[in-house]
Amino acid sequence: MGDGTTRDAWSSRWGFVLAAAGSAVGLGNLWKFPYITWNNRGGAFVLVYLACIAVIGLPVMLSEIMLGRRARQSPAAAFPELGNPKWAFVGWLGAATGVVILAFYTVIAGWSLRSFVQCVGWSINGYEAPSSEAFGAFLAHGPSQIGLGAAFLLFTAVIVVRGISGGIEKATRILMPVLFAIMLYLLVVAITMDGFGEALGFLFRPDFSALGAHAVLEALGHAFFTLSLGMGAMITYGSYVSRGDSIVNISLIVAVLDTVIALLACAVMFTIIFSVPSLKETMQAGEGGSTVGMLFVTLPNLFYTQMTGGSVIGPLFYVLVGFAALSSTISLLEVVVATCVDRFGWARRKATAAATGLVFLLSIGNALSLGASKAMSELKLPKVLTAGKAGVLSIFDHVAANWLLPLGGLFVTLYVGWVLDEKVAKEEIGTGPVYQGWRILVRFVCPVAIGWIIYEVLRGGDFS
Ligand code: TRP
């Protein structure tokens, strides 16, 4: 077990808020949310997603931070510490989920390195619109995919091995406000473009006939993914929070920041798509990997053809995408490392090396599944599990986000709602109306909602 007395702590409330927001805001907001929203035809999907954030995500976040702060341990050690060793499996499941997510996440994060280099080139030599096949060719190039992903993983490991103090907190304190400012600037540019109205309509005009059970599970899973819930990241980060801070306010701020950035990313990208007729056509035809590559294909076009100052913003933007991803991968690896340290008594170095090595091995299959290896790219699991998605990376993403995280979240709500001594929750959250509301949500609403969605998917249901 870890040694409570030498445990690091955030230096201030804002330090924790920004680190937690750094964990939450990442490729989930900038890359994944726009593309699944596009594929699920906007409106109704966005609405279900927002409901999942408010009704399920927020209470789960509050529960995780509470468990972490109370136990001052990483997840697999937190449940025993609170007196329920049988529940340690939730922590182990979380650490395993972290490995699965890292294995594909670092590969995608690697794309930001390439986009950065590409933008620097364009800023110096002038913009030349890449051919429509260029991105696909990059994806299918095995060595690039493995190498860039490994580089990104290495950056993560270098920070995590040094522990959570100083580094993470200092970096996110600067990065998050800058990221936010750039997003706002992009929004201002988008507002002046023709497609802005159409983009907002697409995002906010719900059409429920387009919604199936799998789309609802995807919205739920993404709510967990984007808030970094369901695998113990917030338990781990919460374990460094000091007494006396209101964890209710902290949860609220993180959830709102995360949601605003995700919606801004959609507004900007969809505006570009709707403003450029040829782009709109190919996107609506759903050709190739274009929706997956939206962040890396659609945005450069805006930077270099529609904006003043784009040659500065372009490279800078991908630095920030990289940093947004980095503050997320740090939190993922931290869970795995802290679990090994707390449960196996390993030194931090050894734990980091082992976790990084394991993630790297798994990332190879992911990196080769974007066209480089036919077998990896065409792999399929039963449809009920993966909604017919093919390829190792899509499968890892789908299984982690849509199954492992909701299950982890379900266990957390069952634990805090039905097993944990009520006294503990009252001491952590208070006894007012917020507590009352939270308790009803974690005891009844969240487990029933998650269970029901899972049941619907298993029986092949459709909500349309
Ligand atoms: N929330 C991050 C994103 O949106 C990804 C992430 C970081 C994550 N830590 C996590 C997802 C823990 C699930 C669990 O990009």
Side-chain angles (χ1 to χ4, degrees):
M1 295 273 150
D3 175 5
T5 54
T6 57
R7 221 171 166 73
D8 250 320
W10 307 106
S11 69
S12 72
R13 191 173 93 122
W14 275 101
F16 170 66
V17 171
L18 289 174
S23 167
V25 175
L27 296 172
N29 307 65
L30 305 174
W31 163 75
K32 195 175 175 191
F33 185 61
Y35 107 74
I36 60 177
T37 299
W38 182 269
N39 288 348
N40 286 297
R41 280 165 289 170
F45 179 80
V46 173
L47 215 61
V48 174
Y49 162 79
L50 291 176
C52 289
I53 293 275
V55 178
I56 301 173
L58 254 179
V60 172
M61 167 135 27
L62 189 54
S63 309
E64 285 201 17
I65 297 177
M66 173 184 86
L67 289 176
R69 176 162 79 171
R70 187 73 184 196
R72 315 210 131 261
Q73 295 287 337
S74 59
F79 294 95
E81 176 77 21
L82 295 169
N84 305 96
K86 279 201 192 118
W87 284 78
F89 80 91
V90 180
W92 292 113
L93 180 72
T97 306
V99 171
V100 172
I101 294 178
L102 278 168
F104 74 85
Y105 201 96
T106 49
V107 172
I108 295 157
W111 302 350
S112 67
L113 304 177
R114 179 234 191 200
S115 287
F116 169 71
V117 172
Q118 206 173 34
C119 280
V120 170
W122 285 331
S123 295
I124 296 171
N125 304 321
Y127 179 63
E128 202 182 311
S131 72
S132 57
E133 301 93 50
F135 192 69
F138 164 66
L139 296 185
H141 190 251
S144 301
Q145 295 301 321
I146 296 176
L148 290 173
F152 203 89
L153 178 60
L154 204 63
F155 292 150
T156 310
V158 164
I159 296 175
V160 168
V161 79
R162 292 175 191 191
I164 54 113
S165 65
I168 303 180
E169 189 173 339
K170 267 190 209 135
T172 45
R173 237 171 219 270
I174 301 168
L175 292 170
M176 297 311 292
V178 177
L179 177 75
F180 205 70
I182 291 197
M183 280 312 286
L184 282 181
Y185 180 60
L186 292 177
L187 177 71
V188 170
V189 176
I191 289 174
T192 64
M193 294 171 67
D194 296 338
F196 187 67
E198 202 178 338
L200 287 192
F202 181 85
L203 262 181
F204 295 116
R205 209 170 298 128
D207 168 14
F208 283 96
S209 68
L211 209 64
H214 260 296
V216 176
L217 180 66
E218 189 151 33
L220 174 74
H222 188 67
F224 280 106
F225 186 85
T226 192
L227 293 177
S228 300
L229 301 174
M231 56 84 62
M234 289 298 158
I235 299 183
T236 310
Y237 272 20
S239 74
Y240 309 110
V241 176
S242 60
R243 289 268 118 146
D245 291 342
S246 162
I247 55 179
V248 175
N249 289 345
I250 287 175
S251 306
L252 203 62
I253 294 171
V254 173
V256 169
L257 274 180
D258 186 81
T259 306
V260 167
I261 296 212
L263 291 174
L264 283 180
C266 281
V268 169
M269 278 182 236
F270 296 169
T271 296
I272 304 169
I273 291 169
F274 287 127
S275 302
V276 183
S278 58
L279 195 56
K280 182 172 162 181
E281 248 168 60
T282 40
M283 289 295 292
Q284 282 176 339
E287 275 162 18
S290 47
T291 57
V292 170
M294 218 182 255
L295 175 68
F296 303 93
V297 177
T298 315
L299 268 188
N301 195 278
L302 168 79
F303 294 145
Y304 288 96
T305 62
Q306 313 283 334
M307 284 175 59
T308 44
S311 53
V312 177
I313 293 281
L316 192 57
F317 182 79
Y318 288 102
V319 172
L320 288 161
V321 172
F323 280 126
L326 188 61
S327 55
S328 299
T329 51
I330 288 169
S331 74
L332 287 159
L333 190 61
E334 172 64 23
V335 173
V336 185
V337 169
T339 302
C340 295
V341 170
D342 285 350
R343 289 301 304 253
F344 301 148
W346 289 358
R348 211 175 164 82
R349 277 182 99 73
K350 178 176 170 188
T352 309
T356 305
L358 180 61
V359 169
F360 173 67
L361 288 180
L362 285 171
S363 79
I364 295 174
N366 283 271
L368 297 179
S369 73
L370 303 162
S373 148
K374 199 163 144 66
M376 298 287 170
S377 309
E378 291 174 1
L379 185 78
K380 278 203 173 189
L381 293 187
K383 188 158 190 276
V384 65
L385 263 184
T386 53
K389 289 180 188 161
V392 176
L393 188 140
S394 299
I395 289 173
F396 267 51
D397 176 12
H398 190 96
V399 168
N402 298 2
W403 290 106
L404 298 176
L405 298 179
L407 276 178
L410 177 64
F411 291 134
V412 166
T413 58
L414 289 175
Y415 178 76
V416 297
W418 297 94
V419 178
L420 186 70
D421 189 351
E422 209 187 328
K423 212 177 84 232
V424 173
K426 279 186 175 154
E427 280 169 21
E428 292 290 327
I429 301 177
T431 51
V434 172
Y435 171 78
Q436 303 294 345
W438 169 82
R439 192 157 167 83
I440 293 171
L441 288 174
V442 291
R443 296 194 99 190
F444 304 105
V445 179
C446 297
V448 169
I450 299 171
W452 174 65
I453 293 169
I454 289 176
Y455 169 77
E456 278 299 322
V457 170
L458 290 179
R459 64 175 273 276
D462 220 312
F463 297 130
S464 54

